[in-house]
Structures are given as C-alpha cells and as structure tokens.
Amino acid sequence: MFRQLTLAIAAVISVSAQAGTPCTPAHQFKTITPGKLTVATMMIPPFLIPEDGGIKGVDGDIITKIAAMECLTVTPIVVDTRAVMQYVVSGQADVAVGNWFRTAARLKSMDMTDPVYLDSLAIYTKQGTASLGALVESGKVVGTVQGYNWVGDLQKLFGSKIKLYPSPVALAQDLEAGRIEAGLDSLSGGLYAQQQGGFKGFKVVRAEPDQRVRASIEAAQIAFALVKGNDEVTKAINADIGKLRETKVIDGALQAYGLSTEDSKVGEPRAIE
C-alpha cells in the first residue's frame, strides 16, 4: 500500500513538473491575445480541417507547430471562406491560413509570409483530360472556385462556358451531379478528396502548360496572411517557416495528407499579378 501511494505521489509530481516546464519562445512579438495565436480559417481539406477545437491539415499542422515554437496556443476562428481574410485585415486574427495564394492584390491590404508550399492547377474529368485547349474545343461547361489566381485567365479562355463556385465543396457537388462536365481546381485538394473516397469515376490530372493560363505554367505559392505592417510577427513566422523547411517538418506535413514533398520546393517568394 505504501509503495502504491509513493508511486502515485511520484507520478503527480512528475506531471506537475512537466506542466510547469518553462517554454522559451523562438522570437518575441505581440499577439492579439497574450499567450494565444488567433488563426482565421475555414474547412478546406487537406489544407485545413477543424477538429476538436483545434486545426489539422497541411496548413493546420504547420501553424500549430509554429505556435508551439513561440509558446503560443492556437485559437482557431472557423468562418466562411469569403470572410477569412477580413479577419486579418480588420485585426481580429493574427494570421489566416488555408491554401491561400501569394498574390500582388492581397499584398496591398495585408502582409503574407514567405511561401510554405506549392499548389498546382488540375483538371477533374471522367476522361482524364490534361489539356485546357481540348476542354475549350469540346465546348464542355466547366467550373472553378472563386478567388483562385487562375480565375481571370480561365474566364477569358472559356467565356460563357465556365461557372464560378464559392467553395471546392460546391464545385464537387455540381461536378459529381453532372451539372458541369469538368472541374478546374487544386491538384492537391483533388488527390486528397479521392483518397477519402470522393470523385469516384473521375481522374484528377495536373493541367498541361498553356500560355493562356499562367497558373498552368507556374504553380501557385501558398502562404499565410498576416496583419499589414506588423514586421515583428512577419519576421518571426518567416524564420519559423524556414526552420520547419530545414528540418523537413513541411515535407512531413505534406506526406501526412498524401501530397508530394516536391511541393515544398517553393523557390524565391513571388507575387501572382
């Protein structure tokens, strides 16, 4: 009995010691709420998957790791896709994550981190079409998601034959119901959806380079969005991203969701015009 009591007390002391272990942040910067990193996001697998009060997915795992490096707890704000960026612009969130392209337009109203990984344009069809030109010639009605860097080019290319959707989920529903014949969306998102049992009977293929659609030639760089002008936060998170790339943590996050580690080779930061 005495031995059991001794072991129990030792266990409590051990847990208490662990709980009281001091954490030294990698950098010094202020957040909206001390001790917390407020993260605006939405549901967009495999990049962001809200779960049990936290966030998972490629972006979710990476930003959670960054928060831990800075001795912060992630506080997610899960909202509609169209509202995410507004939380950063208005100062209600420290950072926005979720497969956001690094664009010149966004950099006018917010800061964006160095690129974290790449994402490519893909074509979702039953036939496995890889050519944008072949889709145009077929006269098929296609769909894509609002806000992507390829939307303007695709509208010029397809004219009245393209429909815009507010989210990848809405696009997938119409595609699987046969209301459109091809989807133009993220390669990573499509491959992950198939791993989860979605897009049965469809093939998700990287779009072949087409000079009329810049995104088919140069893959989009994905970055995190930050409040404009808060240089301390931007520098700190960029340094953390660099460390996670160096230690292959970003590779591991991509692999964990069935994506290619090739997408971690981002090159120099650039802004899509």
Side-chain angles (χ1 to χ4, degrees), residues 124 126 141-145 162-184 199 202:
Y124 304 10
K126 291 183 176 180
V141 177
V142 305
T144 194
V145 179
I162 189 166
K163 294 179 65 176
L164 299 184
Y165 293 89
S167 69
V169 172
L171 170 64
Q173 289 172 342
D174 265 17
L175 182 61
E176 294 182 322
R179 287 186 283 270
I180 56 175
E181 297 176 85
L184 299 162
F199 294 119
F202 286 86

Side-chain angles (χ1 to χ4, degrees), residues 153 210-219 270-273:
D153 287 346
D210 187 309
Q211 293 297 326
R212 297 168 293 182
V213 181
R214 182 178 174 184
S216 69
I217 300 169
E218 191 172 61
R270 59 179 183 268
I272 299 166
E273 296 296 335

Side-chain angles (χ1 to χ4, degrees), residues 3 8 13 58 60 89 121-122 128 155 166 179 183 187 189 198 215-216 231 241 267:
R3 176 176 172 76
I13 293 173
V58 178
V89 174
L121 171 63
Q155 286 178 310
R179 287 186 283 270
L187 175 64
S216 69
D231 294 340
I241 290 170

